[in-house]
Amino acid sequence: MRVSEAINSRRSMRVFKPDPVSKADIEWIISNANRAASNGNLQPWKLYVTMGPARQRLSAAILKAMDENDLGPGAEYDIYPREFKPVYDQRRKLVGKQLYTLLGVPRGDSAGMLRQFRKNYEFFDAPVGMILCVERGMGNGQWIDCGIFLDQLMLLAREKGLHTCPQAAFSRFQHVVRRELKIPDDQIVICGLALGHADPDAVPNNLVTERAPITDFTTWFSE
Protein backbone atom coordinates (compact mmCIF):
# COMPACT_ATOMS: atom_id res chain seq x y z
CA MET A 1 0.00 0.00 0.00
CA ARG A 2 1.29 3.43 -0.95
CA VAL A 3 1.40 6.11 1.72
CA SER A 4 -1.21 8.12 -0.19
CA GLU A 5 -3.50 5.08 -0.27
CA ALA A 6 -3.16 4.62 3.47
CA ILE A 7 -3.92 8.29 4.08
CA ASN A 8 -6.95 8.41 1.79
CA SER A 9 -8.40 5.13 3.05
CA ARG A 10 -7.96 6.02 6.73
CA ARG A 11 -11.21 7.01 8.40
CA SER A 12 -12.42 7.01 11.97
CA MET A 13 -14.35 3.74 12.12
CA ARG A 14 -17.06 3.33 14.74
CA VAL A 15 -18.10 -0.30 14.26
CA PHE A 16 -15.55 -3.11 14.47
CA LYS A 17 -15.77 -6.84 13.98
CA PRO A 18 -14.84 -9.16 16.86
CA ASP A 19 -12.09 -10.74 14.75
CA PRO A 20 -8.87 -10.78 16.80
CA VAL A 21 -5.69 -8.96 15.80
CA SER A 22 -2.47 -10.88 16.34
CA LYS A 23 0.02 -9.58 18.85
CA ALA A 24 2.68 -9.88 16.15
CA ASP A 25 0.78 -7.44 13.92
CA ILE A 26 0.31 -4.99 16.79
CA GLU A 27 4.00 -5.16 17.65
CA TRP A 28 4.89 -4.59 13.97
CA ILE A 29 2.66 -1.50 13.85
CA ILE A 30 4.10 -0.06 17.05
CA SER A 31 7.71 -0.85 16.15
CA ASN A 32 7.42 0.91 12.81
CA ALA A 33 5.46 3.85 14.24
CA ASN A 34 8.30 4.27 16.69
CA ARG A 35 10.32 5.70 13.79
CA ALA A 36 8.13 8.81 14.04
CA ALA A 37 9.98 12.11 14.00
CA SER A 38 10.45 13.77 17.37
CA ASN A 39 12.18 16.99 18.31
CA GLY A 40 15.64 16.16 19.65
CA ASN A 41 14.78 12.47 19.22
CA LEU A 42 13.08 12.56 22.64
CA GLN A 43 10.50 9.92 21.60
CA PRO A 44 8.14 11.18 24.35
CA TRP A 45 5.18 8.89 23.72
CA LYS A 46 3.96 6.34 26.27
CA LEU A 47 1.60 3.66 24.97
CA TYR A 48 -0.66 1.25 26.83
CA VAL A 49 -2.18 -1.61 24.84
CA THR A 50 -5.23 -3.51 26.09
CA MET A 51 -6.71 -6.68 24.61
CA GLY A 52 -9.17 -9.37 25.65
CA PRO A 53 -10.34 -9.27 29.30
CA ALA A 54 -8.05 -6.31 30.05
CA ARG A 55 -9.74 -4.18 27.40
CA GLN A 56 -13.16 -5.26 28.62
CA ARG A 57 -12.28 -4.39 32.22
CA LEU A 58 -11.17 -0.91 31.22
CA SER A 59 -14.38 -0.33 29.26
CA ALA A 60 -16.54 -1.67 32.09
CA ALA A 61 -14.80 0.53 34.65
CA ILE A 62 -15.37 3.70 32.64
CA LEU A 63 -19.01 2.89 31.91
CA LYS A 64 -19.54 2.17 35.62
CA ALA A 65 -18.05 5.56 36.46
CA MET A 66 -20.44 7.18 33.96
CA ASP A 67 -23.43 5.40 35.48
CA GLU A 68 -22.38 6.49 38.99
CA ASN A 69 -21.68 10.06 37.85
CA ASP A 70 -18.06 9.63 38.88
CA LEU A 71 -16.76 12.23 36.46
CA GLY A 72 -13.50 12.91 38.26
CA PRO A 73 -11.45 15.98 37.33
CA GLY A 74 -12.02 15.53 33.59
CA ALA A 75 -9.45 15.93 30.84
CA GLU A 76 -6.13 17.54 31.72
CA TYR A 77 -6.03 19.60 28.55
CA ASP A 78 -8.45 21.51 26.34
CA ILE A 79 -9.79 19.04 23.80
CA TYR A 80 -11.41 21.86 21.82
CA PRO A 81 -10.82 25.62 21.66
CA ARG A 82 -12.52 27.48 24.48
CA GLU A 83 -14.16 29.64 21.83
CA PHE A 84 -14.81 28.45 18.29
CA LYS A 85 -14.28 30.67 15.27
CA PRO A 86 -17.23 30.25 12.86
CA VAL A 87 -15.31 28.18 10.28
CA TYR A 88 -14.26 25.59 12.85
CA ASP A 89 -17.64 25.54 14.54
CA GLN A 90 -19.29 24.87 11.17
CA ARG A 91 -16.97 21.95 10.46
CA ARG A 92 -17.59 20.40 13.88
CA LYS A 93 -21.35 20.75 13.61
CA LEU A 94 -21.40 19.40 10.05
CA VAL A 95 -19.57 16.18 10.90
CA GLY A 96 -21.79 15.70 13.95
CA LYS A 97 -24.91 16.13 11.83
CA GLN A 98 -23.60 13.74 9.18
CA LEU A 99 -22.72 11.06 11.73
CA TYR A 100 -25.94 11.17 13.69
CA THR A 101 -28.00 11.28 10.50
CA LEU A 102 -26.34 8.04 9.41
CA LEU A 103 -27.06 6.59 12.85
CA GLY A 104 -30.69 7.61 12.67
CA VAL A 105 -30.39 9.77 15.79
CA PRO A 106 -32.43 12.95 15.27
CA ARG A 107 -31.42 16.31 16.64
CA GLY A 108 -32.51 16.67 20.24
CA ASP A 109 -32.43 12.93 20.94
CA SER A 110 -30.13 13.20 23.94
CA ALA A 111 -30.64 9.56 24.94
CA GLY A 112 -29.63 8.37 21.47
CA MET A 113 -26.60 10.61 21.46
CA LEU A 114 -25.54 9.33 24.88
CA ARG A 115 -25.87 5.70 23.74
CA GLN A 116 -23.56 6.43 20.83
CA PHE A 117 -21.12 8.38 22.99
CA ARG A 118 -20.85 5.48 25.45
CA LYS A 119 -19.61 3.27 22.62
CA ASN A 120 -16.41 5.31 22.65
CA TYR A 121 -15.51 3.68 25.92
CA GLU A 122 -16.02 0.22 24.47
CA PHE A 123 -13.54 1.16 21.73
CA PHE A 124 -16.50 0.61 19.38
CA ASP A 125 -16.06 -3.13 20.06
CA ALA A 126 -12.57 -3.18 18.55
CA PRO A 127 -10.47 -6.04 19.98
CA VAL A 128 -7.54 -3.72 20.69
CA GLY A 129 -7.72 -0.54 22.72
CA MET A 130 -4.68 1.69 23.09
CA ILE A 131 -4.11 4.63 25.42
CA LEU A 132 -1.56 7.27 24.45
CA CYS A 133 0.14 9.34 27.15
CA VAL A 134 2.92 11.88 27.50
CA GLU A 135 5.00 12.77 30.52
CA ARG A 136 3.66 15.79 32.36
CA GLY A 137 6.94 17.70 32.24
CA MET A 138 7.17 17.69 28.45
CA GLY A 139 6.67 20.84 26.38
CA ASN A 140 4.17 21.62 23.63
CA GLY A 141 6.63 20.35 21.04
CA GLN A 142 6.46 16.86 22.51
CA TRP A 143 2.67 16.87 22.10
CA ILE A 144 3.34 17.46 18.41
CA ASP A 145 5.68 14.45 18.47
CA CYS A 146 2.95 12.31 20.04
CA GLY A 147 0.55 13.42 17.32
CA ILE A 148 3.00 12.29 14.66
CA PHE A 149 3.39 8.94 16.42
CA LEU A 150 -0.39 8.54 16.65
CA ASP A 151 -0.79 9.26 12.95
CA GLN A 152 1.81 6.68 12.04
CA LEU A 153 0.04 4.07 14.17
CA MET A 154 -3.12 4.72 12.16
CA LEU A 155 -1.43 4.64 8.76
CA LEU A 156 0.56 1.50 9.52
CA ALA A 157 -2.67 -0.17 10.64
CA ARG A 158 -4.01 0.43 7.14
CA GLU A 159 -1.02 -1.38 5.65
CA LYS A 160 -2.09 -4.41 7.70
CA GLY A 161 -5.66 -4.10 6.44
CA LEU A 162 -6.84 -2.75 9.79
CA HIS A 163 -8.71 0.37 10.79
CA THR A 164 -8.63 2.70 13.77
CA CYS A 165 -10.47 5.45 15.58
CA PRO A 166 -8.58 8.01 17.67
CA GLN A 167 -10.62 8.95 20.74
CA ALA A 168 -9.99 12.03 22.84
CA ALA A 169 -13.02 10.93 24.90
CA PHE A 170 -10.76 8.77 27.06
CA SER A 171 -9.03 11.86 28.43
CA ARG A 172 -12.31 12.84 30.10
CA PHE A 173 -12.12 9.75 32.30
CA GLN A 174 -8.39 9.85 32.76
CA HIS A 175 -8.81 9.17 36.50
CA VAL A 176 -10.36 5.77 35.70
CA VAL A 177 -7.90 4.98 32.90
CA ARG A 178 -5.02 5.89 35.19
CA ARG A 179 -6.31 3.63 37.96
CA GLU A 180 -7.08 0.64 35.75
CA LEU A 181 -3.82 0.70 33.78
CA LYS A 182 -1.64 1.85 36.67
CA ILE A 183 -0.49 4.90 34.72
CA PRO A 184 1.93 7.00 36.79
CA ASP A 185 0.82 10.43 37.98
CA ASP A 186 3.61 12.05 35.97
CA GLN A 187 1.89 11.09 32.70
CA ILE A 188 -1.06 12.82 31.02
CA VAL A 189 -3.68 10.72 29.22
CA ILE A 190 -3.94 12.17 25.72
CA CYS A 191 -6.38 9.83 23.96
CA GLY A 192 -7.44 6.32 23.18
CA LEU A 193 -7.12 4.46 19.89
CA ALA A 194 -9.45 1.67 18.78
CA LEU A 195 -7.80 -0.82 16.43
CA GLY A 196 -9.22 -3.81 14.60
CA HIS A 197 -11.10 -5.02 11.55
CA ALA A 198 -13.81 -2.50 10.67
CA ASP A 199 -17.23 -3.75 9.57
CA PRO A 200 -17.54 -2.43 5.98
CA ASP A 201 -21.30 -2.91 6.01
CA ALA A 202 -21.92 -0.85 9.14
CA VAL A 203 -23.66 2.43 8.35
CA PRO A 204 -21.46 4.71 10.53
CA ASN A 205 -18.38 3.45 8.72
CA ASN A 206 -19.67 4.96 5.48
CA LEU A 207 -19.00 8.47 6.75
CA VAL A 208 -16.29 10.21 4.73
CA THR A 209 -15.64 13.64 6.18
CA GLU A 210 -15.11 16.64 3.95
CA ARG A 211 -11.75 18.37 3.67
CA ALA A 212 -11.09 22.03 2.96
CA PRO A 213 -9.28 22.89 -0.30
CA ILE A 214 -5.61 23.65 0.19
CA THR A 215 -6.24 27.26 -0.87
CA ASP A 216 -8.04 27.72 2.47
CA PHE A 217 -4.92 27.14 4.55
CA THR A 218 -1.86 27.39 2.27
CA THR A 219 0.10 30.56 1.52
CA TRP A 220 2.71 30.41 -1.23
CA PHE A 221 5.94 32.41 -1.58
CA SER A 222 8.15 32.03 -4.63
CA GLU A 223 10.01 35.30 -5.05
Coordinates of all heavy atoms in Angstrom, one line a residue, residues 4-5 22-24 36 39-42 50 58 78 94 112 115 122 131 140 142 161 171 179 197 206 210-211 213:
S4 N 0.0 7.4 0.2 CA -1.2 8.1 -0.2 C -2.5 7.3 -0.1 O -3.5 7.8 0.3 CB -1.1 8.7 -1.6 OG -0.9 7.6 -2.5
E5 N -2.4 6.0 -0.4 CA -3.5 5.1 -0.3 C -3.9 4.9 1.2 O -5.1 4.8 1.5 CB -3.2 3.7 -0.9 CG -3.0 3.8 -2.4 CD -2.5 2.5 -3.0 OE1 -1.9 1.7 -2.3 OE2 -2.8 2.3 -4.2
S22 N -3.6 -10.2 15.7 CA -2.5 -10.9 16.3 C -1.5 -9.9 17.1 O -1.4 -8.8 16.6 CB -1.7 -11.7 15.3 OG -1.0 -10.8 14.5
K23 N -0.9 -10.4 18.1 CA 0.0 -9.6 18.9 C 1.2 -9.2 18.0 O 1.8 -8.1 18.1 CB 0.5 -10.3 20.1 CG 1.4 -9.5 21.0 CD 1.8 -10.2 22.3 CE 2.7 -9.3 23.1 NZ 3.1 -10.0 24.4
A24 N 1.6 -10.1 17.1 CA 2.7 -9.9 16.2 C 2.4 -8.7 15.3 O 3.3 -7.9 15.0 CB 3.0 -11.1 15.3
A36 N 8.7 7.5 14.2 CA 8.1 8.8 14.0 C 9.1 9.9 14.4 O 10.0 9.7 15.3 CB 6.9 9.0 14.9
N39 N 11.2 15.9 18.1 CA 12.2 17.0 18.3 C 13.3 16.5 19.3 O 13.0 16.1 20.4 CB 11.5 18.2 18.9 CG 12.3 19.5 18.8 OD1 13.4 19.4 18.3 ND2 11.7 20.6 19.2
G40 N 14.5 16.6 18.8 CA 15.6 16.2 19.6 C 15.7 14.7 19.9 O 16.4 14.2 20.7
N41 N 14.9 13.9 19.1 CA 14.8 12.5 19.2 C 14.4 12.1 20.6 O 14.8 11.0 21.2 CB 16.1 11.8 18.8 CG 15.9 10.3 18.6 OD1 14.9 9.8 18.1 ND2 16.9 9.5 18.9
L42 N 13.5 12.9 21.3 CA 13.1 12.6 22.6 C 12.2 11.3 22.7 O 12.1 10.7 23.7 CB 12.3 13.8 23.2 CG 13.2 15.0 23.4 CD1 12.4 16.1 24.2 CD2 14.5 14.8 24.1
T50 N -4.3 -2.6 25.4 CA -5.2 -3.5 26.1 C -5.9 -4.4 25.1 O -6.3 -4.0 24.0 CB -6.3 -2.8 26.9 OG1 -7.2 -2.1 26.0 CG2 -5.7 -1.8 27.8
L58 N -11.3 -2.4 31.3 CA -11.2 -0.9 31.2 C -12.5 -0.3 30.8 O -12.9 0.7 31.4 CB -10.0 -0.6 30.2 CG -9.9 0.9 29.9 CD1 -9.5 1.7 31.2 CD2 -8.8 1.1 28.9
D78 N -7.3 21.1 27.1 CA -8.5 21.5 26.3 C -8.6 20.7 25.1 O -7.7 20.8 24.2 CB -8.3 23.0 26.0 CG -8.4 23.9 27.2 OD1 -9.1 23.5 28.2 OD2 -7.8 25.0 27.2
L94 N -21.1 20.1 11.3 CA -21.4 19.4 10.0 C -21.1 17.9 10.2 O -21.9 17.1 9.9 CB -20.6 19.9 8.8 CG -20.8 19.2 7.5 CD1 -22.3 19.1 7.1 CD2 -19.9 19.8 6.4
G112 N -30.3 9.0 22.6 CA -29.6 8.4 21.5 C -28.2 8.8 21.3 O -27.3 8.0 21.0
R115 N -26.1 7.1 24.1 CA -25.9 5.7 23.7 C -24.7 5.6 22.8 O -23.8 4.7 22.9 CB -27.1 5.0 23.1 CG -28.2 4.7 24.1 CD -29.2 3.7 23.5 NE -29.8 4.3 22.3 CZ -30.9 5.0 22.4 NH1 -31.5 5.3 23.5 NH2 -31.5 5.5 21.2
E122 N -16.1 1.6 24.8 CA -16.0 0.2 24.5 C -15.1 0.1 23.3 O -15.1 -1.0 22.7 CB -17.4 -0.4 24.2 CG -18.3 -0.4 25.4 CD -19.7 -0.9 25.1 OE1 -20.3 -0.4 24.1 OE2 -20.2 -1.7 25.8
I131 N -4.1 3.3 24.7 CA -4.1 4.6 25.4 C -2.8 5.3 25.2 O -1.7 4.7 25.6 CB -4.4 4.5 26.9 CG1 -5.8 3.8 27.1 CG2 -4.3 5.8 27.6 CD1 -7.0 4.6 26.7
N140 N 5.2 21.7 24.7 CA 4.2 21.6 23.6 C 4.7 20.9 22.4 O 4.0 20.2 21.7 CB 3.7 23.0 23.2 CG 2.9 23.7 24.3 OD1 2.4 23.1 25.2 ND2 2.8 25.0 24.2
Q142 N 6.5 18.3 22.4 CA 6.5 16.9 22.5 C 5.0 16.3 22.3 O 4.8 15.2 21.9 CB 7.0 16.4 23.9 CG 8.5 16.5 24.0 CD 9.0 17.9 24.0 OE1 8.7 18.7 24.9 NE2 9.8 18.2 23.0
G161 N -4.2 -3.8 6.7 CA -5.7 -4.1 6.4 C -6.6 -3.8 7.6 O -7.7 -4.2 7.6
S171 N -9.7 10.9 27.5 CA -9.0 11.9 28.4 C -10.0 12.4 29.5 O -9.6 12.8 30.6 CB -8.4 13.0 27.6 OG -9.5 13.8 27.0
R179 N -6.2 4.6 36.9 CA -6.3 3.6 38.0 C -6.3 2.2 37.4 O -5.5 1.3 37.9 CB -7.6 3.8 38.7 CG -7.9 2.8 39.9 CD -9.3 3.0 40.4 NE -10.3 2.5 39.5 CZ -11.4 3.1 39.2 NH1 -11.7 4.3 39.8 NH2 -12.3 2.6 38.4
H197 N -10.5 -4.8 12.9 CA -11.1 -5.0 11.5 C -12.4 -4.3 11.5 O -13.4 -4.7 12.2 CB -11.3 -6.5 11.2 CG -10.0 -7.3 11.2 ND1 -9.2 -7.4 10.0 CD2 -9.4 -8.0 12.1 CE1 -8.2 -8.1 10.3 NE2 -8.2 -8.5 11.6
N206 N -19.6 4.4 6.8 CA -19.7 5.0 5.5 C -19.4 6.5 5.5 O -19.4 7.1 4.4 CB -21.1 4.7 4.9 CG -21.3 3.2 4.6 OD1 -20.4 2.5 4.2 ND2 -22.5 2.7 4.8
E210 N -15.6 15.7 5.0 CA -15.1 16.6 4.0 C -13.8 17.3 4.4 O -13.5 17.3 5.6 CB -16.1 17.7 3.7 CG -17.5 17.2 3.2 CD -18.5 18.4 3.1 OE1 -18.1 19.5 3.3 OE2 -19.7 18.1 2.8
R211 N -13.0 17.7 3.4 CA -11.7 18.4 3.7 C -11.7 19.7 2.9 O -12.2 19.8 1.8 CB -10.6 17.5 3.3 CG -10.3 16.3 4.2 CD -9.9 16.8 5.6 NE -9.5 15.7 6.4 CZ -10.4 15.0 7.3 NH1 -11.6 15.4 7.3 NH2 -9.9 14.1 8.0
P213 N -10.3 22.8 0.8 CA -9.3 22.9 -0.3 C -8.0 23.5 0.2 O -8.0 24.3 1.2 CB -9.9 23.8 -1.3 CG -10.9 24.6 -0.6 CD -11.4 23.7 0.5

